[in-house]
Amino acid sequence: MFDAQSTISSNEIPQSVNVKDFSIKADKTRADALRLKKQRIARIRERQMKFQIEAQWVFEHFTDHFSAVLAKSPDELKSAYKIRHEVFCEEIKIFEGNETGLERDNYDDYAEQCLIQHNRSKDYAGCVRLIMPEQDDQILPIEKQGIEHIERKDLLPENFPRNEVAEVSRILIPKVFRRRKIDAAACAANTGINIEHYDENDMRCFPFIAVGLYMACTAMFKNRGKNHIYFMADPRLGKSMQVVGLTMTQIGPEFEYVGRRVPYYIESKNFLDNLKPAFKTMLDEFMKKIY
């Protein structure tokens, strides 16, 4: 005899089991996702804590090991141009090298160079320049290479007095100072740097040399009274500057110019509003050196 009730029940049993299995799997998926999320958060917090501990040491000791030097003498200027040639022409090869071993362009005629120097060895660990036009025919690199990418027309350089605008450029660190563990053979062969001059505390400072360069260029435009600053930065460099609390406004999309670049505008009076307190110690020290 055909039993409708029996047929319905038998059909419902596997359906009920499938729904239960699906529910268990969904719960497990959510639990796994939550566990992975917690692990990611824990790793982020661990990195942040490690950075804070490391940064605190650097804040206290960086200026014991490194100094900002405004390049004035021919030898100091040559050192800045030499670093630029080593990185841009010899290492990443975005510019053509030359027999002098110095990378220089027309913007240097109205720019200042600053170097980060290792106190004990006197080796230079990085350079940065600030281009400061004073005349109408002295343009900024962004006006030549990136003007069409600026979407914030209210922040075009032409909107401000010529003697109040400037551009940060050529932030560079030689390869040897971008490493925590130095390859002695490579250093001796390629840079002439004597690594015996560096101890573990020196090398702990190496990742923060870039921060020193940020503070150096800040000291330059603060001491020179430049109120409107431009910067065509590698996206990673732009983000790292903002991580330390330097306030920049992105004024256009990422574009291609000797690598990927993002155009930024910096208003001098607001640039340091979010600067982490400990970095201010470094800046204050550099402002005494760069005048």
Side-chain angles (χ1 to χ4, degrees), residues 111-224:
E112 286 188 344
Q113 319 286 328
C114 190
L115 296 148
I116 299 296
Q117 186 174 47
H118 180 245
N119 294 336
R120 187 166 60 256
S121 70
K122 303 304 179 186
D123 292 329
Y124 291 112
C127 67
V128 60
R129 77 173 173 184
L130 188 67
I131 301 168
M132 298 177 288
E134 294 291 335
Q135 303 171 14
D136 290 340
D137 61 345
Q138 294 177 333
I139 66 171
L140 299 172
I142 198 169
E143 293 177 294
K144 183 177 181 180
Q145 307 294 345
I147 198 71
E148 68 273 20
H149 301 289
I150 297 179
E151 296 178 340
R152 287 287 305 271
K153 303 306 180 185
D154 58 317
L155 296 178
L156 287 168
E158 65 186 35
N159 294 340
F160 308 110
R162 204 63 186 162
N163 63 355
E164 292 186 12
V165 301
E167 184 166 340
V168 177
S169 173
R170 298 297 197 263
I171 291 187
L172 295 172
I173 301 171
K175 182 185 292 185
V176 62
F177 289 100
R178 298 199 299 268
R179 298 175 178 175
R180 264 295 182 85
K181 295 181 179 178
I182 302 177
D183 182 333
C187 293
N190 300 331
T191 68
I193 291 175
N194 185 351
I195 64 169
E196 293 180 0
H197 290 154
Y198 302 96
D199 60 24
E200 180 59 29
N201 286 335
D202 295 324
M203 287 185 277
R204 285 178 66 189
C205 288
F206 283 11
F208 291 86
I209 290 171
V211 178
L213 290 170
Y214 306 158
M215 296 299 102
C217 65
T218 302
M220 278 197 287
F221 68 68
K222 282 288 187 181
N223 282 343
R224 301 297 177 267

Side-chain angles (χ1 to χ4, degrees), residues 54-71:
E54 190 82 347
Q56 188 59 46
W57 184 92
V58 172
F59 300 150
E60 295 172 357
H61 299 282
F62 187 91
T63 51
D64 292 337
H65 296 264
F66 292 88
S67 297
V69 176
L70 184 64

Side-chain angles (χ1 to χ4, degrees), residues 141-151 167 231-235 250-264:
I142 198 169
E143 293 177 294
K144 183 177 181 180
Q145 307 294 345
I147 198 71
E148 68 273 20
H149 301 289
I150 297 179
E151 296 178 340
E167 184 166 340
F231 188 26
M232 291 187 291
D234 179 292
Q250 184 172 336
I251 55 177
E254 189 175 318
F255 64 96
E256 180 68 30
Y257 169 61
V258 292
R260 302 304 296 170
R261 294 290 181 265
V262 174
Y264 290 102

